[in-house]
Amino acid sequence: MRIFVKLLLLFSLFPLAFSNENSSSYLIPRPLIKNIDDNVNLHCTSWRFAAETNNLAPWKTIPAECADYVKDYLMGEGYVVDVERVSEEANVYASSFESNADGKDIWIFDIDETLLSNLPYYMEHGCGLEVFNHSKFDKWVEKGIAPAIAPSLKLYQKVMDLGYKVILLTGRRENHRVITVENLRNAGFHNWDKLILRSLDDRNKTATMYKSEKREEMVKEGYRIKGNSGDQWSDLLGSAMSERSFKLPNPMYYIP
Amino acid sequence: MRIFVKLLLLFSLFPLAFSNENSSSYLIPRPLIKNIDDNVNLHCTSWRFAAETNNLAPWKTIPAECADYVKDYLMGEGYVVDVERVSEEANVYASSFESNADGKDIWIFDIDETLLSNLPYYMEHGCGLEVFNHSKFDKWVEKGIAPAIAPSLKLYQKVMDLGYKVILLTGRRENHRVITVENLRNAGFHNWDKLILRSLDDRNKTATMYKSEKREEMVKEGYRIKGNSGDQWSDLLGSAMSERSFKLPNPMYYIP
């Protein structure tokens, strides 16, 4: 009976909640500080869910009120636990196949926020609160010191051990090939089959378009794309999609 | 400087964290009760993120330790706020197009946990903790009293006002057509263009396959699938995918 009353309450709250732009305005009043904290947490968790499931319209910066929330998530245990889980699930899936006798099974990895972490850069630039600055970010890339995301390195080694060919497909440009290779090697990544960077021809394409075209080429060459790991939906959606895609968390930026 | 130390700590924690099956075992000790609560919350939020982004292997029940977490999410503000946001974002997208002069733009909606809520049923059956029971659930469906998810009803009316044709594409079976129509009407849904239910021929197909085939038929008939709303990735992925998909939250069950 109590459940029925709660449900009545839930459904009667829906229309009211939807009619307000500030969706937290209908919450039952509670002591002020707790209330503000709870509301921000609720609002920003909801925002993160929407971002990570690709429900949001294209966005350039994180909501200002979520700046601390995003930083806490990235620097606390939340991000680590999420990244671990993605790698573990991908590992279970990758291990579920029989041998790949013809060597045609491939696994695609994106690089930034998938294999390498740019958190040291983003921590100095508001973790998504500042509009992306190409020239500043290029300077960071050119240092070649982005650390490995350890669970991704573990998955990388695992799929290689299982006999998958590894393709790195990144939005980084060709002029960063040398430093990218150096950075990847220093971070522990070796023996990939192919590293595909954006050429001048790909300059004006969305990431979805550019990456879809590259995947189509792989399929035409007879490869089977068994797995694809990326932190952006533009790494994963489009044409010639992988049999399974693994979405790493990234609450800092959106690439169309 | 403090940031640098925190980052060092973060990256040195990664391998340790990944090496433990219980991913929370490396957390810094804190007072016991708070610690357990925090860990469960962290663990279950991470599980929910993985479920909602389609990173998990197929699953039949929610993790036992997340039973209260899932119930609290569904009965508290979390679910309401998330569902509202999906509808709002879909609304923004749907409104972004010019007129649809030839009447060929369509919006697809799934039914269960998208337009209609089965929460009254799931609240009595562990919210995902019990293995799905077809005959019990059928009895609930046959009552025809599932309430509307109000933000979805709002979106439904909006896309209809904007001139989209609305197609309802559900995993419910043909023998539930009459009660489904009655339930939808009583909940406020009217004037859809087509209601597609699973025929006997579709019985052994995965939802992804069945729904993809139905979408392919729509495309062959000259329709443009502009939007697709569903709580399962099997509503959204496959072939003839929509230009934009909107993933409603559902931490209770998984349909392949």
Side-chain angles (χ1 to χ4, degrees), chain B:
Chain B
M1 192 57 190
R2 258 174 43 211
I3 283 173
F4 184 71
V5 173
K6 273 203 103 172
L7 284 171
L8 261 183
L9 195 70
L10 174 66
F11 291 108
S12 63
L13 278 175
F14 266 140
L16 176 59
F18 193 64
S19 68
N20 283 295
E21 214 165 293
N22 174 359
S23 59
S24 53
S25 59
Y26 62 90
L27 296 177
I28 298 140
R30 274 179 289 181
L32 193 64
I33 294 179
K34 171 111 177 85
N35 203 356
I36 290 171
D37 275 3
D38 280 4
N39 286 0
V40 168
N41 195 52
L42 179 70
H43 167 72
C44 298
T45 301
S46 172
W47 176 82
R48 187 161 67 88
F49 162 80
E52 296 294 7
T53 51
N54 208 26
N55 284 335
L56 292 185
W59 51 281
K60 285 197 186 308
T61 56
I62 62 173
E65 66 278 16
C66 297
D68 287 343
Y69 171 93
V70 168
K71 212 169 259 187
D72 288 351
Y73 165 74
L74 291 165
M75 300 300 286
E77 294 90 12
Y79 179 63
V80 183
V81 170
D82 282 347
V83 172
E84 276 166 32
R85 191 184 289 268
V86 185
S87 288
E88 284 164 16
E89 292 292 331
N91 185 337
V92 169
Y93 165 76
S95 309
S96 69
F97 294 99
E98 286 301 306
S99 79
N100 154 36
D102 61 358
K104 290 290 193 185
D105 286 346
I106 61 180
W107 198 286
I108 301 174
F109 287 98
D110 167 57
I111 294 181
D112 293 297
E113 269 54 74
T114 299
L115 296 185
L116 297 180
S117 174
N118 298 304
L119 264 187
Y121 172 83
Y122 284 104
M123 288 303 295
E124 299 288 344
H125 293 87
C127 293
L129 201 59
E130 288 177 22
V131 175
F132 182 74
N133 182 313
H134 256 297
S135 65
K136 281 186 191 168
F137 186 70
D138 279 359
K139 276 186 196 134
W140 157 255
V141 166
E142 285 153 16
K143 288 184 183 169
I145 56 169
I149 295 178
S152 295
L153 177 54
K154 183 152 178 165
L155 175 67
Y156 179 95
Q157 286 161 337
K158 179 72 184 184
V159 300
M160 217 159 242
D161 289 347
L162 288 166
Y164 292 88
K165 279 197 164 65
V166 165
I167 311 280
L168 309 184
L169 177 51
T170 174
R172 290 185 176 201
R173 295 188 306 277
E174 273 293 348
N175 61 339
H176 285 143
R177 179 178 287 273
V178 173
I179 191 68
T180 298
V181 168
E182 188 186 312
N183 194 153
L184 284 165
R185 288 200 178 134
N186 287 338
F189 298 96
H190 303 280
N191 302 320
W192 56 82
D193 202 70
K194 212 171 182 179
L195 165 60
I196 306 173
L197 300 103
R198 233 181 228 270
S199 70
L200 284 176
D201 289 346
D202 300 319
R203 216 173 9 177
N204 296 319
K205 294 170 186 165
T206 61
T208 307
M209 203 184 301
Y210 153 66
K211 295 197 167 185
S212 290
E213 286 175 8
K214 296 300 173 189
R215 286 196 304 269
E216 278 170 19
E217 287 169 22
M218 297 171 206
V219 171
K220 268 185 208 144
E221 289 166 21
Y223 290 106
R224 294 178 296 268
I225 306 173
K226 302 297 270 188
N228 188 0
S229 299
D231 64 293
Q232 298 289 321
W233 283 99
S234 52
D235 298 328
L236 311 172
L237 296 177
S239 51
M241 280 169 60
S242 173
E243 285 186 29
R244 273 284 298 273
S245 294
F246 294 91
K247 169 70 176 78
L248 283 91
N250 185 349
M252 297 186 292
Y253 60 85
Y254 170 88
I255 300 173

Side-chain angles (χ1 to χ4, degrees), chain A residues 17-18 55 77 84 154 247, chain B residues 17-18 27 84 154 247:
Chain A
F18 193 64
N55 284 335
E77 294 92 10
E84 275 166 33
K154 183 153 177 165
K247 169 70 177 75
Chain B
F18 193 64
L27 296 177
E84 276 166 32
K154 183 152 178 165
K247 169 70 176 78

Side-chain angles (χ1 to χ4, degrees), chain A residues 140-145 172 175-184:
Chain A
W140 156 255
V141 165
E142 286 154 15
K143 287 183 183 170
I145 56 168
R172 289 186 175 200
N175 62 337
H176 284 144
R177 180 178 286 274
V178 174
I179 191 69
T180 298
V181 168
E182 189 185 311
N183 194 153
L184 284 165

